[in-house]
Amino acid sequence: MYRGGIATSRVLRINMTDLSHKWEDVKKEHADLAGRAFTSTVVSEEVDPMCHPLREKNKIVISPGLLAGTMAPSSGRLSVGAKSPLTGGIKEANAGGLTATRLANIGVRGIIIEGMPEGDDWYSIVIGKDKCEIKRTNDYAGIGLYELIKKIWKDYPTKPGIIGAGLAGQRLYKCAGVFGNNIENSDPGRYAGRGGLGAVFGSKRIVAIISDDTGGSRPEAKEKERFDEARKVFVNSLNDHAVTGRLKDKDGNPYGGLKNYGTNILQNILSEAGGLPTRGFSSGRFDKAAKISGEAVHDLVDRTKEKFGDKAEGKYGHACHPGCIMACSNVVPYEKTGKLHVSPLEYESAWALGANLGIGELHDVAELNRLCNDIGLDTIEAGNTIAMFMEAGKIPFGDGKKAIELLKKAYDEKSIEGALVCSGTLTAGEALGVTRIPVVKGQALPAYDPRPIKGIGVTYATTTMGADHTAGYTIAAEILGIKGTVTDPRKIEKAELSQAFQATTAYIDSSGYCLFIAFCVLDDDDGFKAMTDTVDAFLGKAVDVTAYGKKVLKMEREFNKKAGFTEKDDRLPEFFYTEKLPPHNVVFDVPDEELDAVYKNM
Ligand code: SF4
C-alpha cells in the first residue's frame, strides 16, 4: 500500500507480448534514481544496445522526476527513455503535463514496457492507485490528437494525465514525439519530443497511457522540515529573478522574462547576437524575428483580451504542469476570434517552423505548430525536415502556406511526401539530394547556430542524445551570462564548460525540476543551495550534483559505444566547418581534440 514518499514507491512492468503486468519493488541500487537517471539506468541494464529500436527487444521506460508531486516549485517533469529510432543510441526526452504528478501521487517510480503484441489492435494502458489495465482501444488510433485527448477526458472524467503516440508514432515515423496533454486538456502540446520515441510507442501498439491519481497522496520528503524550509527559499529565489520571476514588478510593469514572453523571448536575442539559424542555417539573423517572437505573442494575447474580454483564450504566464511557478508556457490565440490556436508556442518551435524556414508570419508558424501537435511530431525535427524540402527547391523558403500544405500531407497514409515529412531531417535530406543536412547522430540541430556560439556546438557534437541544446545549455553562459559575466561565445576552449553543463543537466533531468531553474540557480548561490537541499531532504541524504550527473552520462555513453558509436560520431556536419555564417562570417573551428576532451576528461 502506497503511503506517499520515495521509500514506498514501486515499478510497474508491462509486457505487451502477452498483455500482462506486474508490480515490482524498486531495486536497492535504484533507490535514489528517478527521471532521466532511472530511465537511462533501466535502458542501459535491460535493452540490447544493438537491437532494432522498433522491434520487441526495445523497451520504453517512463519515470516522474524525483520531486514530482511534491510542493517543490516547477518540479513536475516526466522522463521517457528508450533506444532511439532516430539516433540509434540511448534517449531520454522530458516534458511537463499532468502525467508525472499523477504517477508520483500513486507511488509509481517508473514504468517499464517491453515486448510487442501480435495483430493489428491498438491499446491503451490505464494506471491508477494499485491498478493497471491494458485495454484494446482501436477507436483511439488513427485520429488527430486534439480529438483523442477530448475523447479520453470524456471517457475518464477524473482528469487524468495522458501521454502517447499520434498518427506519426503509430506509423513508426522517426519525427514522432511522445505527446502529453496540458493542464486544461485543450492541447496535446506537452511533448517529450526528441529522438522519435513516439514511434517506439507505436511499435508496441500503444496509443495512450492514462494515469489517474484518485485516492493517491502527495509524496513526502524524508526530512520534512528541512524540505519545506528549502522549498520556501527556492520559491523566493525563483520569484525574484529577472528571468524566472513574477509577472509584474511592484509598479505593475512586466518583470519575469519567462512569465511574460516565454522561452520565445530568445528569438530577438539570438537574432541580434547573429546566432539565430535562418533559412536552413544559411544566416544567423532573421529580419522578421520580431514578428514571431515572444513579445509578438504577448502583444497578440493582450490585443485579443482587450477585444474579446472573458471569451479570449490567449495566455502568457501559463504553467505546463501543476506547481510550475516560472510558467513560461503560453496559449496563442487566433487574432480574429481570440480562441485557442496552439499551446504552447515555444522558442524552439517558433524557430524551427519560423526563422529556420524563413517564415515570418506568426499565424503560419502557430498553424504549423498546431499541425505538429495534432499529428504527433517533434517540432524541431519536423521544422528541420521541412527545411530539407526547401533546401531541395521543392517549396520556397519563406512560403508559410506551402509549408502548411506539405505538412498536411502527413494525414494521408498513402502520400509519399507525407511519409517523408514525418521521417526526419536525415532521411528526408538524403532522399531529396541535400548535402547540407544539420544533424548529429541522426538528430536535427536546435535553435542556436554553433558557428558563432561554440560551446553549444560542443554540446551538440558530444552529448549522448544527438544534437540537443537541453543536454548542456551553454547558452546560459555564452549569451545570457552568469552573475553578470558572459563567457566569450567565440572562444573555442569549451570542453570544460559543456561537460559541466551536461553533468548538471543530467542531475536536473532526474530531479523533476524544469531545466529553466538554471537561469536562477546559476546566478543565485542561495537559490542553488535551496534547490539541492530540497533533493537532499527528500532523499534523506546528501547528493553530489556533479557526481550524480556524470554517473548518468557515463552510463549513457557506454550504451552508445556498445550500439556502435565512436568519437567520429561526435562531430558536426561538414558544412559548419566550411561555410561562413553571416553576419559574423565565422565557421565552427573547435578542434576534434577539444570535442573529445568532454568525455575523455570525465
Ligand atoms: S518553466 Fe515552462 S517548461 Fe518549465 S515547467 Fe514551467 S511552464 Fe513548463
Side-chain angles (χ1 to χ4, degrees), residues 74 77 318-321 324 326-329 514 516:
S74 307
R77 305 286 295 183
H318 176 253
C320 82
H321 71 256
C324 177
M326 297 184 289
C328 78
S329 178
C514 171
F516 300 147

Side-chain angles (χ1 to χ4, degrees), residues 86 167-169 171-177 352-353 357 368 371-372 375-390 394-395 402-429 431-432 444:
L86 188 70
L167 295 170
R171 293 174 192 164
L172 310 188
Y173 296 144
K174 289 182 193 171
C175 275
L353 303 165
L357 304 180
L368 284 164
L371 286 168
C372 286
I375 298 162
L377 296 170
D378 168 24
T379 50
I380 298 178
E381 199 61 44
N384 275 290
T385 307
I386 296 170
M388 294 298 97
F389 282 78
M390 293 180 165
K394 303 295 179 200
I395 55 175
K402 286 245 160 62
I404 290 168
E405 220 173 89
L406 172 66
L407 194 49
K408 280 187 176 167
K409 291 184 181 168
Y411 287 104
D412 178 0
E413 210 168 351
K414 296 202 176 99
S415 164
I416 299 292
E417 276 179 310
L420 202 55
V421 82
C422 297
S423 293
T425 312
L426 182 60
T427 302
L432 294 166

Side-chain angles (χ1 to χ4, degrees), residues 67-122:
L67 302 183
T70 71
M71 294 288 281
S74 307
S75 66
R77 305 286 295 183
L78 181 80
S79 289
V80 183
K83 173 169 173 166
S84 160
L86 188 70
T87 69
I90 198 164
K91 192 75 203 169
E92 183 265 357
N94 68 67
L98 290 171
T99 297
T101 308
R102 298 289 187 262
L103 291 178
N105 286 347
I106 52 171
V108 178
R109 177 81 67 88
I111 304 169
I112 302 170
I113 305 172
E114 47 199 28
M116 57 198 288
E118 282 185 1
D120 296 332
D121 283 325
W122 289 99

